[in-house]
Amino acid sequence: PIVSALDIAAQPPMLWISRFLHLIGRSKVYVSFDIDALDPSLVPGTGTPEPGGLTWHNALTLLRAVFKNHDVVAADIVETAPIPGTQVSEFTAARLGAKMLTYHQHRKIL
């Protein structure tokens, strides 16, 4: 089972996020965030840009819920591809990583 981009676009965030949390169950979680899940307007430097991808706030809401409700044991961010002359993609990936670290540190109070 998957949560599709159409599900995300058509449903309120907490509905598809609840469905996603149910799908991953209660086990320990390794978060591997493929940066091309975000809309390319946020991260143009990726190997496979995905028009209609997640917004920044959708991604943060999802990650906050995962860190709050699951035992996240590790995380990574993949697929950033630098574009000469701009660091927007790298900066966005770094900010996402910082958010995940913060969510992990404060998971009990989210």
Side-chain angles (χ1 to χ4, degrees):
I2 61 170
V3 177
S4 71
L6 186 56
D7 292 334
I8 293 168
Q11 298 175 3
M14 290 320 296
L15 187 59
W16 66 264
I17 288 172
S18 294
R19 184 170 166 222
F20 180 84
L21 294 175
H22 176 74
L23 289 172
I24 61 175
R26 299 300 309 166
S27 60
K28 294 181 186 285
V29 175
Y30 183 115
V31 174
S32 185
F33 194 97
D34 192 330
I35 202 76
D36 62 19
L38 295 173
D39 190 82
S41 64
L42 298 169
V43 184
T46 183
T48 50
E50 190 59 45
L54 291 172
T55 67
W56 178 250
H57 294 291
N58 280 157
L60 295 185
T61 301
L62 172 61
L63 289 169
R64 192 179 300 115
V66 170
F67 278 86
K68 180 180 181 181
N69 294 292
H70 292 80
D71 183 13
V72 177
V73 296
D76 66 24
I77 300 168
V78 298
E79 292 288 322
T80 303
I83 297 174
T86 179
Q87 291 79 39
V88 68
S89 299
E90 295 92 322
F91 181 80
T92 302
R95 291 293 298 146
L96 188 65
K99 290 288 188 181
M100 287 195 284
L101 287 170
T102 301
Y103 297 156
H104 188 264
Q105 180 66 28
H106 298 291
R107 63 191 173 275
K108 301 300 182 199
I109 59 173
L110 288 174

